[in-house]
Amino acid sequence: MLSGQRIPYGAEHSAAVKKEKALGLYQGILLTFILAMLANSLASLPFFSILGVMIIAILLGMTWKASMDIPVHAAAGITFSSKYILRGGIILLGVRLNLMTIVDMGFTILLIDALVIAGTLSFIVYLGHVLNVNKGLTLLIGVGTAICGAAAIVAVAPLLRGSDRGNAPLAVACIAILGTVGALGFIALYPFLDLTNESYGILVGSTLHELAHVVAASVPGGDISGESAIVVKLGRVLMLVPVAFLLSIIFNNSTQERTKIKDIPFPWFIIGFLAMSIINTAGVFTAAMQDFLTTSSVYLMAMGMAGLGLSMNYRDFQKAGLRPVIVGVLGSIFIVLLGSILLLLI
């Protein structure tokens, strides 16, 4: 640029805006990182050790959101953590899983998953009809509860028509809060449950909403609970595509709209999770590498959970009213009861 030549005001303004947005992105990511580190420190204390790093992280995020201001542009970084960093942590979590565990558990796990999804989704849809809750919102809460939390909500939302798609953020917030409460409940009840560590993991994996919630709640049962919980939860996640395709046929049948399998959004990070599991099963990772990757996955998921807490907007719940919350709460209670009954019968 020639000496004395001035940059047009518009260009200066555009550059300043881009710089501010980039700074906000880093601020949001840094905030979730700090909360994750704080959660890790608190998890070493006697009482907080029961909760675990991830549950503490989301509670810290919720507390920060409710009590302090968040810079506007920092929302991009918070969203980045709650989506991409959380998924990165889930991918690395595959290092904990030996796929031979799935072979050992066999057909029983898939049967429990299928019955839990069908029963819970049917119950929530019926309950939403009885309470006169918006059909789209009811369905999103249903798939989030029955299948795999936010990933299922994001996948199914595009299948809905018109304004119903706009209910996705509210459904995600509802599921995030209820999943956190559910994880806390399981952790508190663990000492009083007359279950083996494997059975406890199956119950957790078949009834909690998000994979991160499942991992957090399985901690009291050790590695055995963790592996069985992840396997069962993974079965529910893998059923997302056929369930979403079936729902697209049901909901779009009267409008001549058709959704092909390739058009259904799928949580592709699960493929990364499976890839890491396959590599681990093949014995590629050394013990030191496993420890490093497992620890990294915990920190990344803690950042994502902090991001979820920071993203929750309580005003959305006020606008929606009490009935959708009732649907979510009763649906969460139902899936736990159903999972418990199936565990005893099957």
Side-chain angles (χ1 to χ4, degrees):
M1 184 179 295
L2 297 176
S3 177
Q5 184 175 352
R6 298 187 62 184
I7 302 175
Y9 173 76
E12 288 182 346
H13 178 70
S14 178
V17 170
K18 289 181 179 179
K19 184 177 180 180
E20 188 175 0
K21 287 184 177 180
L23 180 60
L25 175 67
Y26 298 137
Q27 283 179 335
I29 294 174
L30 179 60
L31 177 57
T32 60
F33 175 77
I34 291 173
L35 292 178
M37 294 300 102
L38 179 57
N40 183 62
S41 298
L42 289 174
S44 63
L45 301 177
F47 170 76
F48 291 99
S49 61
I50 300 175
L51 301 179
V53 176
M54 286 173 286
I55 295 299
I56 296 174
I58 195 171
L59 292 176
L60 288 175
M62 293 168 63
T63 302
W64 184 291
K65 174 76 172 183
S67 58
M68 289 182 243
D69 292 331
I70 298 175
V72 176
H73 292 302
I78 292 170
T79 300
F80 184 87
S81 290
S82 63
K83 289 186 177 180
Y84 303 107
I85 292 181
L86 177 60
R87 292 170 184 175
I90 292 174
I91 289 173
L92 293 184
L93 188 65
V95 175
R96 287 183 51 179
L97 178 62
N98 189 315
L99 293 178
M100 293 307 297
T101 307
I102 299 178
V103 177
D104 293 338
M105 289 185 173
F107 174 76
T108 303
I109 297 304
L110 293 178
L111 179 60
I112 291 176
D113 284 336
L115 291 175
V116 163
I117 290 173
T120 303
L121 190 54
S122 299
F123 173 78
I124 290 179
V125 169
Y126 173 75
L127 185 62
H129 174 72
V130 171
L131 295 178
N132 196 30
V133 178
N134 175 273
K135 291 182 180 179
L137 178 57
T138 298
L139 180 64
L140 293 178
I141 292 175
V143 296
T145 302
I147 307 176
C148 54
I153 292 170
V154 171
V156 172
L159 307 179
L160 303 179
R161 299 186 296 272
S163 60
D164 285 347
R165 300 181 182 183
N167 289 314
L170 176 59
V172 169
C174 182
I175 292 303
I177 291 175
L178 293 174
T180 301
V181 172
L184 289 170
F186 271 117
I187 292 171
L189 291 174
Y190 172 76
F192 308 100
L193 297 175
D194 186 21
L195 296 173
T196 65
N197 287 337
E198 183 181 40
S199 296
Y200 174 72
I202 293 173
L203 180 60
V204 168
S206 63
T207 57
L208 281 181
H209 308 52
E210 297 279 358
L211 181 55
H213 293 144
V214 168
V215 174
S218 67
V219 169
D223 291 340
I224 295 176
S225 288
E227 284 197 0
S228 58
I230 291 171
V231 169
V232 176
K233 181 61 177 178
L234 181 61
R236 290 166 66 195
V237 172
L238 293 178
M239 290 184 183
L240 172 58
V241 167
V243 171
F245 184 63
L246 178 61
L247 290 174
S248 73
I249 295 175
I250 294 173
F251 276 78
N252 298 325
N253 187 51
S254 61
T255 62
Q256 303 301 317
E257 295 181 15
R258 293 292 183 271
T259 303
K260 300 178 181 178
I261 292 180
K262 67 181 181 65
D263 296 327
I264 298 175
F266 180 74
W268 292 107
F269 61 91
I270 296 300
I271 302 300
F273 174 90
L274 284 172
M276 295 299 286
S277 301
I278 292 172
I279 295 172
N280 178 55
T281 304
V284 174
F285 296 123
T286 64
M289 291 172 64
Q290 282 184 316
D291 290 341
F292 173 76
L293 292 174
T294 301
T295 302
S296 298
S297 73
V298 172
Y299 281 113
L300 292 177
M301 284 193 293
M303 290 178 65
M305 295 295 273
L308 286 176
L310 289 165
S311 301
M312 293 180 188
N313 193 334
Y314 300 99
R315 292 180 181 176
D316 291 337
F317 287 92
Q318 294 175 350
K319 291 179 182 178
L322 187 60
R323 285 178 295 178
V325 177
I326 293 175
V327 169
V329 171
L330 293 181
S332 296
I333 294 173
F334 178 85
I335 193 174
V336 172
L337 294 175
L338 178 59
S340 301
I341 292 171
L342 292 174
L343 184 61
L344 292 174
L345 296 178
I346 300 178

